[in-house]
Amino acid sequence: MTPHFLSFQFLLLLILLCTTTTTTVAQPAPAPGPPPPTNITKILEKASQFTTLIRLFDITKVGDQINTQLNNSKQGMTVLAPTDNAFSSLAPGVLNSLSDQQKDELVQFHVLPTFISTSQFQTLSNPLRTQAGDSTFYNFPLNITTSGTQVNLTTGVVNASLANSIYTDGSLAVYQVDKVLLPMKLFGPQPPAAAPAPEPEKKKKKAGDTAATGDSTANSSSAVDLRLDLHGLMRGLIAFIAMFCL
């Protein structure tokens, strides 16, 4: 084979390679889609051991309320989640004895209307404001104390502790608590009954009226004495005249 023929074959091979090779262009990765809507039920289901709280969220519709607020506002929320063991430590029949409204208030008492990170617990002011409303003593007070990283909660009926963080995304924080938070309004002593209104006092006589009554009595006595004196004088005068006429 001549060198010219080999060169021709090599050139032909290069042409074939250039015409048959396809150029692969790297495609950009697809943009990530929007995050799925927050769902408190799915968060608790994934964490497990919260079936009783999930059931209460469903019965009272508080779970739907939390999801709606989180997905339609930027205010944020915090959920204090008692475990199934915490609920099982309650006296038998306690939950069943509550009315629908009381169940709603109990669940709302475990929800704070703002996002609270673990570090923010050190700076909170008491009493904490919950979704249950009025935080005065005989209603829904919730107070917090901290010692290092330990966070304690007291309702006036029960003392509980934050066990760990279950979920946080900057908008929703879910913390496990070791006891059910029992509010004063539902489980504490009732406020003392108001003192009965005092009976209206009888109208007292004025000092002037008393003096006037005394003066009137004195005047009446003087008039009687005067009449008696005149009567005696007339009798004496008649007797004196009769002596001289005899």
Side-chain angles (χ1 to χ4, degrees):
M1 229 176 253
T2 64
H4 292 290
F5 181 75
L6 292 174
S7 298
F8 177 75
Q9 283 185 325
F10 181 73
L11 181 61
L12 182 62
L13 181 61
L14 284 177
I15 294 172
L16 289 173
L17 289 173
C18 292
T19 55
T20 57
T21 302
T22 57
T23 303
T24 302
V25 179
Q27 297 294 325
T38 303
N39 189 303
I40 184 63
T41 300
K42 290 183 177 179
I43 291 171
L44 293 173
E45 286 175 345
K46 184 177 180 180
S48 70
Q49 68 178 339
F50 295 100
T51 55
T52 304
L53 183 59
I54 292 172
R55 179 168 59 86
L56 287 173
F57 274 151
D58 181 58
I59 292 173
T60 60
K61 306 303 180 184
V62 172
D64 293 339
Q65 174 190 331
I66 292 174
N67 295 334
T68 299
Q69 288 185 230
L70 288 172
N71 295 312
N72 291 282
S73 71
K74 297 181 179 180
Q75 187 174 4
M77 304 188 84
T78 299
V79 175
L80 305 173
T83 62
D84 291 334
N85 286 337
F87 278 103
S88 65
S89 66
L90 296 176
V94 167
L95 292 181
N96 291 334
S97 68
L98 300 177
S99 66
D100 290 345
Q101 179 180 344
Q102 289 172 330
K103 289 177 182 176
D104 182 80
E105 290 173 335
L106 175 63
V107 175
Q108 297 279 16
F109 191 55
H110 290 75
V111 182
L112 311 181
T114 55
F115 172 82
I116 301 175
S117 66
T118 52
S119 61
Q120 288 176 315
F121 280 109
Q122 309 288 333
T123 60
L124 296 177
S125 299
N126 289 319
L128 299 184
R129 186 165 62 93
T130 72
Q131 291 284 83
D134 192 347
S135 59
T136 55
F137 182 76
Y138 286 105
N139 289 287
F140 298 97
L142 180 61
N143 293 291
I144 186 171
T145 58
T146 58
S147 177
T149 59
Q150 180 68 36
V151 178
N152 301 311
L153 300 163
T154 180
T155 70
V157 178
V158 67
N159 298 321
S161 298
L162 255 63
N164 55 64
S165 176
I166 298 170
Y167 176 88
T168 181
D169 62 3
S171 178
L172 171 66
V174 182
Y175 299 101
Q176 177 182 326
V177 292
D178 61 351
K179 293 182 181 179
V180 180
L181 304 178
L182 304 177
M184 287 284 288
K185 184 176 180 180
L186 303 182
F187 299 95
Q190 297 302 305
E199 296 183 1
E201 296 183 5
K202 295 181 179 180
K203 188 176 179 181
K204 295 181 180 180
K205 295 181 179 180
K206 296 180 180 179
D209 293 341
T210 303
T213 303
D215 293 345
S216 176
T217 304
N219 292 337
S220 299
S221 299
S222 299
V224 171
D225 292 341
L226 180 59
R227 285 196 297 270
L228 290 174
D229 291 343
L230 290 176
H231 183 69
L233 180 61
M234 290 296 295
R235 290 177 61 186
L237 182 58
I238 292 172
F240 178 74
I241 295 173
M243 288 176 59
F244 281 98
C245 292
L246 293 177

